[in-house]
Amino acid sequence: IPWRDFDESSYISATAIHHGEDKYKRNKFNQQASDKLKCDRPVPDTRNGLCSSNSWDLSKLPATSVIVTFHNEARSTLLRTVVSVLNRSPPSLVREIILVDDFSDNAEDGQLLAQIEKVRVLRNNQREGLMRSRIRGADAAAAPVLTFLDSHVECNKNWLEPLLQRIADDRTAVVCPIIDVINMDNFEYIGASADLRGGFDWNLVFKWDYMSSEERRSRAGNPTAPISTPMIAGGLFSMDKSYFNQLGKYDTAMDVWGGENLEISFRVWQCGGRLEIIPCSRVGHVFRKQHPYTFPGGSGNVFTRNTRRAAEVWMDDYKEYYYAAVPSAKLIPFGNIENRLQIRVRNQCKPFKWYLENVYPELRVPSKESVAFGSIKQGVNKCIDTLGHVQEGSIGLYECHDSGGNQEFSMNKEMQIRHQDLCFTAGEGAREGSIIKLRHCDENNTMQKFEQSKSQLRLYQSSYCIDSRHERDMGLILSKCDHSRSQQWRFSMGDLTH
Ligand code: UD2
Ligand code: MN
């Protein structure tokens, strides 16, 4: 039946929030706010104005199968995902919507939607996780292009055409929309910045990176051009189906959630394809802070295992920087990766060094001389920060932002703690209260030599440690080493000595 004839209200009301029930309990977003909205509610057109003058010859675009995997998704968000696809895509371009129900508690959540035109429902008979579920959907897909979506999205106006156009132009382009934000509390649809791309630090956790101001300036003349991105968020993208198969789909040994976006990103770039964000394509997604579902195996372990598999297959020796940043990862077994390594050989994929130099030059690589690298953390979220100071400036603490810049330091074999060509220096010598200053590095300057001892940073051959106790007035200073909290420091990559 056409989606307009689907009985939305009885479908939604059957799983409504009960009186007195926590609205966030089941989905970790406000289900009640979602349930109140119609499945075809309007959303603001968040595209750059220039996008509306685009036009496409639909007869020349390949059709796509849309694949949505879900585990215990709220009915209202799942239905809105489906309806927004049907409602905002040229019908000729959507061959089918494949819902892969990853063993949700209630089989009817998916099954009832199979009445709707173009919707096919596949149900796993055990929990498989999103990677194997997406592969199942992809294998069943009839169209030449695969489009993966999360189960709580809303596609915006003309979201699909520019994605398919790009793939028609280049079958090795793997393309994403800009992901707009659907507020998890009130479900307001909010346009996201067009100046972001996907990246990561050595902990291999996905993050958004701002384009440099230079790059933003150069894009100003051509805001609709594809943005090449080192990493994809993972949930929303289109890819030529035969190319997806040729490059090895996903790693079927990954479970539940996480790491697969890292893996497919390395793989696509290293094996000759490219990842792009297409700014004229916009899809909203409900971002939330917690997982609403269980992690068979424990969320930390599963995520780390998946991430290790990606690192072990694709990162060559650079994986050591990951282990230096996340030492506990070494303790999680990652299983057999033989068949994934074969994909590298079969597709003659490039080394990780090539990826770093050509795709993600912004990711700082510790120099060979470094024994420790990255941010220098105190407690949970305070980091040493140059505060933008230069030569002769003091240093202080700031909330950790995990994006390098003024919070990036390295320690070398000469025992210097460097920020670019400036070194931490005991400004007034080895004495109580001596302010730590940024001065030009000089190997013969003994006031620039520090030792990591336990988690203290001690001025070499002295009994004074870097201390934040008077940070507000003086910045960081030297103070008698006494293991107090204000002397506890941890490099994000603490041990590069192997
Ligand atoms: C982001 C991605 C997500 C995925 C993940 C890393 C976006 C917008 N989202 O997480 O697609 O790449 O990072 O793995 O880029 N699901 C299952 N089975 C499971 C667990 C989840 O089918 O065992 C479904 C779930 O219902 C949802 C999708 O997988 O549709 C992604 O899960 P999520 O929305 O909890 O993840 P998210 O958005 O935090
Ligand atoms: Mn999601």
Side-chain angles (χ1 to χ4, degrees):
I1 58 170
W3 64 264
R4 286 180 198 281
D5 296 340
F6 180 74
D7 187 352
E8 175 180 10
S9 68
S10 30
Y11 175 70
I12 304 295
S13 61
T15 56
I17 298 290
H18 307 128
H19 187 71
E21 186 188 352
D22 176 357
K23 305 188 272 282
Y24 290 82
K25 179 101 189 296
R26 287 188 241 164
N27 306 99
K28 303 294 179 195
F29 57 64
N30 183 345
Q31 187 195 317
Q32 195 169 63
S34 174
D35 287 1
K36 277 192 193 137
L37 300 169
K38 286 277 170 236
C39 64
D40 62 340
R41 68 138 167 185
V43 294
D45 183 350
T46 49
R47 297 171 302 168
N48 183 295
L50 291 175
C51 296
S52 41
S53 57
N54 283 351
S55 67
W56 301 271
D57 181 352
L58 299 187
S59 69
K60 293 222 167 69
L61 295 182
T64 189
S65 296
V66 175
I67 296 157
V68 178
T69 76
F70 67 97
H71 176 74
N72 290 348
E73 184 61 62
R75 289 186 171 192
S76 51
T77 39
L78 183 60
L79 177 63
R80 251 193 326 276
T81 301
V82 169
V83 168
S84 76
V85 171
L86 294 171
N87 202 11
R88 299 210 181 91
S89 314
S92 64
L93 297 183
V94 177
R95 176 78 56 88
E96 59 197 345
I97 300 175
I98 301 177
L99 300 180
V100 184
D101 174 358
D102 190 12
F103 199 53
S104 300
D105 297 341
N106 186 345
E108 289 200 334
D109 296 350
Q111 212 38 255
L112 289 167
L113 298 178
Q115 308 162 52
I116 299 178
E117 54 177 331
K118 294 190 180 178
V119 175
R120 294 169 62 192
V121 180
L122 308 175
R123 178 169 160 88
N124 296 336
N125 47 31
Q126 60 174 40
R127 182 84 175 277
E128 297 288 357
L130 72 91
M131 303 82 178
R132 289 191 295 277
S133 301
R134 283 185 192 163
I135 292 176
R136 183 172 179 205
D139 288 343
V145 173
L146 306 171
T147 297
F148 295 100
L149 295 176
D150 270 13
S151 47
H152 32 254
V153 304
E154 286 168 70
C155 302
N156 208 319
K157 194 173 178 200
N158 298 134
W159 71 288
L160 186 59
E161 295 93 326
L163 299 177
L164 298 177
Q165 180 70 61
R166 187 70 189 107
I167 293 173
D169 294 343
D170 179 353
R171 91 180 253 279
T172 71
V174 175
V175 291
C176 313
I178 291 182
I179 308 178
D180 286 334
V181 177
I182 301 172
N183 181 292
M184 57 172 269
D185 300 308
N186 59 17
F187 278 73
E188 193 185 346
Y189 186 109
I190 303 155
S193 164
D195 297 331
L196 300 170
R197 55 159 51 100
F200 56 92
D201 280 312
W202 287 107
N203 61 11
L204 303 185
V205 173
F206 176 85
K207 68 181 173 90
W208 296 105
D209 287 337
Y210 253 101
M211 288 177 195
S212 64
S213 49
E214 214 174 318
E215 213 177 342
R216 288 206 300 278
R217 252 197 313 279
S218 81
R219 288 190 57 81
N222 192 8
T224 66
I227 301 163
S228 81
T229 181
M231 180 75 38
I232 58 171
L236 288 54
F237 66 97
S238 296
M239 183 170 184
D240 179 274
K241 178 173 168 165
S242 65
Y243 195 53
F244 178 76
N245 291 340
Q246 178 193 326
L247 285 194
K249 302 180 183 182
Y250 275 119
D251 181 350
T252 54
M254 288 190 182
D255 296 316
V256 192
W257 178 97
E260 94 294 342
N261 55 329
L262 190 78
E263 196 270 347
I264 200 171
S265 298
F266 293 161
R267 183 154 45 89
V268 166
W269 278 115
Q270 288 176 243
C271 304
R274 40 189 310 109
L275 300 176
E276 292 174 348
I277 295 168
I278 307 295
C280 287
S281 175
R282 296 255 179 181
V283 177
H285 169 261
V286 186
F287 287 91
R288 55 189 161 192
K289 301 183 179 83
Q290 282 173 286
H291 298 287
Y293 38 76
T294 59
F295 267 70
S299 69
N301 288 354
V302 171
F303 177 75
T304 306
R305 182 174 178 280
N306 293 346
T307 304
R308 268 201 92 173
R309 291 183 65 81
E312 287 287 335
V313 174
W314 296 101
M315 292 177 72
D316 306 321
D317 290 345
Y318 291 91
K319 69 188 176 198
E320 295 304 336
Y321 296 134
Y322 164 56
Y323 294 130
V326 188
S328 58
K330 281 216 140 166
L331 306 174
I332 310 287
F334 60 86
N336 186 302
I337 53 172
E338 214 35 62
N339 60 350
R340 301 308 290 175
L341 288 169
Q342 276 163 23
I343 291 169
R344 264 190 87 154
V345 178
R346 201 163 65 229
N347 290 281
Q348 300 179 338
C349 307
K350 300 185 185 84
F352 197 70
K353 186 174 196 306
W354 175 90
Y355 170 89
L356 285 177
E357 287 169 356
N358 294 278
V359 180
Y360 202 17
E362 295 83 3
L363 181 66
R364 310 293 308 161
V365 181
S367 74
K368 285 270 175 292
E369 292 77 50
S370 301
V371 297
F373 185 83
S375 59
I376 307 177
K377 220 173 244 195
Q378 181 176 83
V380 194
N381 67 347
K382 287 270 189 289
C383 278
I384 297 188
D385 197 304
T386 66
L387 307 170
H389 298 167
V390 290
Q391 169 85 323
E392 284 305 314
S394 60
I395 53 176
L397 289 184
Y398 201 81
E399 202 169 302
C400 300
H401 51 56
D402 296 323
S403 47
N406 294 343
Q407 295 184 358
E408 184 182 288
F409 304 95
S410 65
M411 191 162 193
N412 60 22
K413 297 189 183 84
E414 278 69 50
M415 309 168 83
Q416 296 168 324
I417 304 175
R418 298 179 68 115
H419 175 77
Q420 293 160 5
D421 53 357
L422 297 172
C423 278
F424 286 16
T425 311
E428 297 115 41
R431 62 166 182 80
E432 184 73 28
S434 179
I435 294 175
I436 306 293
K437 298 232 158 133
L438 295 167
R439 287 198 182 140
H440 274 293
C441 299
D442 170 6
E443 281 178 27
N444 300 318
N445 186 344
T446 54
M447 292 301 120
Q448 294 185 346
K449 292 189 188 297
F450 293 87
E451 262 182 325
Q452 286 183 291
S453 85
K454 302 276 163 46
S455 40
Q456 304 179 128
L457 292 169
R458 183 159 53 89
L459 184 68
Y460 187 52
Q461 292 183 329
S462 84
S463 50
Y464 294 99
C465 286
I466 297 181
D467 193 306
S468 64
R469 68 186 68 188
H470 298 302
E471 193 260 325
R472 276 158 172 266
D473 323 310
M474 298 187 267
L476 302 186
I477 55 167
L478 284 185
S479 184
K480 203 98 187 144
C481 300
D482 59 6
H483 294 283
S484 60
R485 278 179 57 94
S486 58
Q487 295 180 0
Q488 308 274 306
W489 307 102
R490 196 163 30 85
F491 270 93
S492 56
M493 285 195 212
D495 183 13
L496 296 167
T497 47
H498 38 261

PDB file of all heavy atoms in Angstrom, residues 73 150-153 235-236 257 285-288 293, ligand 2:
ATOM      1  N   GLU A  73      14.339  -0.218  17.566  1.00  0.00           N
ATOM      2  CA  GLU A  73      14.125   1.193  17.259  1.00  0.00           C
ATOM      3  C   GLU A  73      12.709   1.586  17.656  1.00  0.00           C
ATOM      4  O   GLU A  73      11.791   0.748  17.590  1.00  0.00           O
ATOM      5  CB  GLU A  73      14.338   1.421  15.759  1.00  0.00           C
ATOM      6  CG  GLU A  73      14.235   2.868  15.311  1.00  0.00           C
ATOM      7  CD  GLU A  73      15.295   3.750  15.980  1.00  0.00           C
ATOM      8  OE1 GLU A  73      16.486   3.514  15.777  1.00  0.00           O
ATOM      9  OE2 GLU A  73      14.894   4.690  16.709  1.00  0.00           O
ATOM     10  N   ASP A 150      20.804   4.974   9.094  1.00  0.00           N
ATOM     11  CA  ASP A 150      20.400   4.570  10.438  1.00  0.00           C
ATOM     12  C   ASP A 150      18.870   4.548  10.498  1.00  0.00           C
ATOM     13  O   ASP A 150      18.191   5.074   9.612  1.00  0.00           O
ATOM     14  CB  ASP A 150      20.945   5.567  11.477  1.00  0.00           C
ATOM     15  CG  ASP A 150      22.331   5.180  11.982  1.00  0.00           C
ATOM     16  OD1 ASP A 150      22.963   4.303  11.368  1.00  0.00           O
ATOM     17  OD2 ASP A 150      22.782   5.764  12.991  1.00  0.00           O
ATOM     18  N   SER A 151      18.335   4.004  11.577  1.00  0.00           N
ATOM     19  CA  SER A 151      16.890   3.786  11.670  1.00  0.00           C
ATOM     20  C   SER A 151      16.154   4.946  12.339  1.00  0.00           C
ATOM     21  O   SER A 151      14.998   4.819  12.698  1.00  0.00           O
ATOM     22  CB  SER A 151      16.635   2.489  12.432  1.00  0.00           C
ATOM     23  OG  SER A 151      17.433   2.434  13.609  1.00  0.00           O
ATOM     24  N   HIS A 152      16.841   6.092  12.507  1.00  0.00           N
ATOM     25  CA  HIS A 152      16.194   7.260  13.124  1.00  0.00           C
ATOM     26  C   HIS A 152      16.680   8.495  12.394  1.00  0.00           C
ATOM     27  O   HIS A 152      17.376   9.343  12.966  1.00  0.00           O
ATOM     28  CB  HIS A 152      16.534   7.343  14.621  1.00  0.00           C
ATOM     29  CG  HIS A 152      17.910   6.811  14.919  1.00  0.00           C
ATOM     30  ND1 HIS A 152      18.118   5.607  15.517  1.00  0.00           N
ATOM     31  CD2 HIS A 152      19.144   7.297  14.607  1.00  0.00           C
ATOM     32  CE1 HIS A 152      19.421   5.373  15.598  1.00  0.00           C
ATOM     33  NE2 HIS A 152      20.058   6.386  15.052  1.00  0.00           N
ATOM     34  N   VAL A 153      16.374   8.555  11.101  1.00  0.00           N
ATOM     35  CA  VAL A 153      16.813   9.679  10.278  1.00  0.00           C
ATOM     36  C   VAL A 153      15.608  10.282   9.563  1.00  0.00           C
ATOM     37  O   VAL A 153      14.527   9.693   9.513  1.00  0.00           O
ATOM     38  CB  VAL A 153      17.875   9.252   9.222  1.00  0.00           C
ATOM     39  CG1 VAL A 153      19.055   8.586   9.907  1.00  0.00           C
ATOM     40  CG2 VAL A 153      17.282   8.367   8.143  1.00  0.00           C
ATOM     41  N   GLY A 235      27.051   5.898   9.418  1.00  0.00           N
ATOM     42  CA  GLY A 235      25.668   5.450   9.318  1.00  0.00           C
ATOM     43  C   GLY A 235      24.985   5.734   8.006  1.00  0.00           C
ATOM     44  O   GLY A 235      24.082   5.013   7.589  1.00  0.00           O
ATOM     45  N   LEU A 236      25.377   6.808   7.343  1.00  0.00           N
ATOM     46  CA  LEU A 236      24.612   7.303   6.207  1.00  0.00           C
ATOM     47  C   LEU A 236      25.548   7.457   5.016  1.00  0.00           C
ATOM     48  O   LEU A 236      26.353   8.393   4.982  1.00  0.00           O
ATOM     49  CB  LEU A 236      24.004   8.682   6.554  1.00  0.00           C
ATOM     50  CG  LEU A 236      22.845   8.799   7.545  1.00  0.00           C
ATOM     51  CD1 LEU A 236      23.117   8.145   8.876  1.00  0.00           C
ATOM     52  CD2 LEU A 236      22.496  10.265   7.762  1.00  0.00           C
ATOM     53  N   TRP A 257      28.406  -2.819  17.248  1.00  0.00           N
ATOM     54  CA  TRP A 257      28.489  -1.384  16.942  1.00  0.00           C
ATOM     55  C   TRP A 257      29.945  -0.956  17.044  1.00  0.00           C
ATOM     56  O   TRP A 257      30.658  -1.407  17.915  1.00  0.00           O
ATOM     57  CB  TRP A 257      27.649  -0.607  17.982  1.00  0.00           C
ATOM     58  CG  TRP A 257      27.656   0.875  17.861  1.00  0.00           C
ATOM     59  CD1 TRP A 257      26.713   1.656  17.235  1.00  0.00           C
ATOM     60  CD2 TRP A 257      28.639   1.799  18.374  1.00  0.00           C
ATOM     61  NE1 TRP A 257      27.055   2.978  17.325  1.00  0.00           N
ATOM     62  CE2 TRP A 257      28.223   3.098  18.024  1.00  0.00           C
ATOM     63  CE3 TRP A 257      29.826   1.644  19.093  1.00  0.00           C
ATOM     64  CZ2 TRP A 257      28.947   4.240  18.366  1.00  0.00           C
ATOM     65  CZ3 TRP A 257      30.552   2.780  19.427  1.00  0.00           C
ATOM     66  CH2 TRP A 257      30.104   4.059  19.070  1.00  0.00           C
ATOM     67  N   HIS A 285      19.624  13.239  11.646  1.00  0.00           N
ATOM     68  CA  HIS A 285      19.861  12.013  12.433  1.00  0.00           C
ATOM     69  C   HIS A 285      19.680  12.351  13.905  1.00  0.00           C
ATOM     70  O   HIS A 285      20.118  13.406  14.361  1.00  0.00           O
ATOM     71  CB  HIS A 285      21.289  11.524  12.169  1.00  0.00           C
ATOM     72  CG  HIS A 285      21.760  10.439  13.100  1.00  0.00           C
ATOM     73  ND1 HIS A 285      22.567  10.680  14.204  1.00  0.00           N
ATOM     74  CD2 HIS A 285      21.531   9.106  13.093  1.00  0.00           C
ATOM     75  CE1 HIS A 285      22.822   9.542  14.824  1.00  0.00           C
ATOM     76  NE2 HIS A 285      22.203   8.563  14.184  1.00  0.00           N
ATOM     77  N   VAL A 286      19.060  11.466  14.651  1.00  0.00           N
ATOM     78  CA  VAL A 286      18.904  11.685  16.088  1.00  0.00           C
ATOM     79  C   VAL A 286      20.204  11.255  16.784  1.00  0.00           C
ATOM     80  O   VAL A 286      20.473  10.057  16.912  1.00  0.00           O
ATOM     81  CB  VAL A 286      17.726  10.871  16.670  1.00  0.00           C
ATOM     82  CG1 VAL A 286      17.513  11.238  18.146  1.00  0.00           C
ATOM     83  CG2 VAL A 286      16.456  11.098  15.871  1.00  0.00           C
ATOM     84  N   PHE A 287      20.999  12.242  17.175  1.00  0.00           N
ATOM     85  CA  PHE A 287      22.221  11.940  17.920  1.00  0.00           C
ATOM     86  C   PHE A 287      21.843  11.777  19.386  1.00  0.00           C
ATOM     87  O   PHE A 287      21.065  12.546  19.929  1.00  0.00           O
ATOM     88  CB  PHE A 287      23.234  13.084  17.781  1.00  0.00           C
ATOM     89  CG  PHE A 287      23.869  13.158  16.419  1.00  0.00           C
ATOM     90  CD1 PHE A 287      23.318  13.945  15.408  1.00  0.00           C
ATOM     91  CD2 PHE A 287      25.015  12.421  16.128  1.00  0.00           C
ATOM     92  CE1 PHE A 287      23.899  14.008  14.140  1.00  0.00           C
ATOM     93  CE2 PHE A 287      25.600  12.474  14.871  1.00  0.00           C
ATOM     94  CZ  PHE A 287      25.048  13.268  13.873  1.00  0.00           C
ATOM     95  N   ARG A 288      22.395  10.773  20.026  1.00  0.00           N
ATOM     96  CA  ARG A 288      22.100  10.600  21.449  1.00  0.00           C
ATOM     97  C   ARG A 288      23.382  10.293  22.194  1.00  0.00           C
ATOM     98  O   ARG A 288      24.436  10.123  21.594  1.00  0.00           O
ATOM     99  CB  ARG A 288      21.037   9.517  21.635  1.00  0.00           C
ATOM    100  CG  ARG A 288      21.425   8.217  20.975  1.00  0.00           C
ATOM    101  CD  ARG A 288      20.283   7.223  20.977  1.00  0.00           C
ATOM    102  NE  ARG A 288      20.557   6.217  19.963  1.00  0.00           N
ATOM    103  CZ  ARG A 288      19.684   5.339  19.528  1.00  0.00           C
ATOM    104  NH1 ARG A 288      18.464   5.334  20.030  1.00  0.00           N
ATOM    105  NH2 ARG A 288      20.022   4.455  18.609  1.00  0.00           N
ATOM    106  N   TYR A 293      20.652  -0.021  23.581  1.00  0.00           N
ATOM    107  CA  TYR A 293      20.598  -1.484  23.502  1.00  0.00           C
ATOM    108  C   TYR A 293      21.763  -2.109  24.256  1.00  0.00           C
ATOM    109  O   TYR A 293      22.736  -1.451  24.613  1.00  0.00           O
ATOM    110  CB  TYR A 293      20.620  -1.946  22.036  1.00  0.00           C
ATOM    111  CG  TYR A 293      21.532  -1.123  21.148  1.00  0.00           C
ATOM    112  CD1 TYR A 293      22.907  -1.282  21.187  1.00  0.00           C
ATOM    113  CD2 TYR A 293      21.012  -0.160  20.286  1.00  0.00           C
ATOM    114  CE1 TYR A 293      23.741  -0.520  20.391  1.00  0.00           C
ATOM    115  CE2 TYR A 293      21.846   0.617  19.476  1.00  0.00           C
ATOM    116  CZ  TYR A 293      23.201   0.426  19.532  1.00  0.00           C
ATOM    117  OH  TYR A 293      24.036   1.187  18.744  1.00  0.00           O
TER     118      TYR A 293
HETATM  119 MN    MN B   2      22.251   6.480  14.955  1.00  0.00          MN
END
